[in-house]
């Protein structure tokens, strides 16, 4: 017994291939998330309970108005009999004008140490929180692409999301760090997606 609820962003009003590509990508993302949940259920074969299992997908548009869509998907799953739900994030940064996804490296000048700079900033912020970051979780903020896979372009800065267990225990929940563009200004590509934020 399970219940699945989802939200899927969709652009309408045009047959432009760039919009169609966006819609297809969003549908594929949500479809895969649901399929993964169903596979988890099959693998775990949980004992049925009255409340059953559940999976929910919601999204937020975090970018300011313009040609760039920076979305954050938040997923909550619960397996029947588990002590608590689990949570995951997945972000999408899409350039509507070009009809392509934006990679983190696309924001910065070639060969710049952007990942190390972001990592150093995030680690400093996380150390100041009462989440036991330095007691076994600090590697979750190391400068690796996987640690910084969830990022969003916002008005206030580059938002980094660390999922639960990545930089803190489950009880602390996911951790969010916003790096002001002023901290990254010397590394940002002035011709890239963040151009208007450093003018």
């Amino acid at each position: 017994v399970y219940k699945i609820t989802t939200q899927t962003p969709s652009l309408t009003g045009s047959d432009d291939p760039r919009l169609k590509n966006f819609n297809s990508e969003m549908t594929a993302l949500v479809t895969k998330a649901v399929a993964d949940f169903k596979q988890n259920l099959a693998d775990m074969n949980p004992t049925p309970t009255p409340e059953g299992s559940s999976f929910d997908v919601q999204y937020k548009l975090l970018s300011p108005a313009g040609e760039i869509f920076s979305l954050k998907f938040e997923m909550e799953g619960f397996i029947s009999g588990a002590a608590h739900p689990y949570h995951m994030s997945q972000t999408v940064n899409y350039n509507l004008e070009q009809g392509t996804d934006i990679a983190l490296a696309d924001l910065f000048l070639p060969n710049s140490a952007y990942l190390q700079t972001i990592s150093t900033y995030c680690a400093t912020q996380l150390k100041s929180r009462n989440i036991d970051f330095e007691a076994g979780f600090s590697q979750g903020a190391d400068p690796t692409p996987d640690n910084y896979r969830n990022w969003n372009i916002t008005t206030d800065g580059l938002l980094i999301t660390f999922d639960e267990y990545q930089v803190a225990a489950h009880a602390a929940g996911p951790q969010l760090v916003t790096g002001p563009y002023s901290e990254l200004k010397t590394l940002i590509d002035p011709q890239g997606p963040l151009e208007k934020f450093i003018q």
Side-chain angles (χ1 to χ4, degrees), residues 63 116 131 145:
S63 52
Q116 181 62 61
I131 58 172

Side-chain angles (χ1 to χ4, degrees), residues 50-108:
E51 70 271 17
S53 302
S54 61
F55 188 64
D56 179 63
V57 181
Q58 298 186 28
Y59 74 90
K60 297 176 182 177
L61 179 64
L62 300 180
S63 52
E67 67 203 26
I68 293 174
F69 289 104
S70 188
L71 300 110
K72 181 179 178 182
F73 289 83
E74 297 178 331
M75 307 174 192
E76 178 179 287
F78 178 73
I79 304 296
S80 178
H84 50 68
Y86 63 89
H87 303 85
M88 301 180 298
S89 300
Q90 187 168 347
T91 61
V92 174
N93 295 276
Y94 190 85
N95 188 321
L96 186 60
E97 183 178 18
Q98 297 179 4
T100 58
D101 288 317
I102 303 170
L104 185 58
D106 296 337
L107 307 180
F108 303 99

Side-chain angles (χ1 to χ4, degrees), residues 74-153:
E74 297 178 331
M75 307 174 192
E76 178 179 287
F78 178 73
I79 304 296
S80 178
H84 50 68
Y86 63 89
H87 303 85
M88 301 180 298
S89 300
Q90 187 168 347
T91 61
V92 174
N93 295 276
Y94 190 85
N95 188 321
L96 186 60
E97 183 178 18
Q98 297 179 4
T100 58
D101 288 317
I102 303 170
L104 185 58
D106 296 337
L107 307 180
F108 303 99
L109 293 167
N111 303 316
S112 62
Y114 69 89
L115 206 54
Q116 181 62 61
T117 302
I118 294 172
S119 171
T120 300
Y121 182 86
C122 287
T124 300
Q125 297 300 311
L126 294 168
K127 286 176 185 177
S128 69
R129 303 177 186 181
N130 186 25
I131 58 172
D132 293 327
F133 170 68
E134 294 180 278
F137 291 100
S138 60
Q139 70 279 2
D142 285 348
T144 66
D146 187 60
N147 280 343
Y148 294 89
R149 64 190 179 277
N150 286 325
W151 57 274
N152 288 104
I153 296 170

